[in-house]
Amino acid sequence: MVIKVVKGNPTPEELAAALAVVQARAAVLASAPSGAPPVADEWAAPARVARHRLPQPGPRAWGRTYWPG
């Protein structure tokens, strides 16, 4: 595995942390069975996106439709 820093000047500790994350992710992907569907990322999970309460209907509901209360 070759990793190249193309921008910035990371410290040895920052580089080691980034490499540990990349190696951990590669190990998870390598241990998954080849016929198994890929693991869904949490970034796309609907529960993560809709964590806030939705606006309740009422006389001034139109003002709360965009900005969380």
Side-chain angles (χ1 to χ4, degrees):
M1 179 186 310
V2 176
I3 294 182
K4 180 179 177 182
V5 177
V6 294
K7 188 174 183 181
N9 190 14
T11 64
E13 292 83 10
E14 292 170 335
L15 199 54
L19 184 58
V21 170
V22 170
Q23 286 179 334
R25 179 69 176 164
V28 167
L29 292 175
S31 67
S34 61
V39 177
D41 287 335
E42 286 296 318
W43 288 102
R48 180 186 168 275
V49 176
R51 287 187 182 177
H52 301 289
R53 223 174 20 103
L54 294 176
Q56 298 298 314
R60 287 183 252 148
W62 64 270
R64 297 186 306 255
T65 56
Y66 184 72
W67 300 106

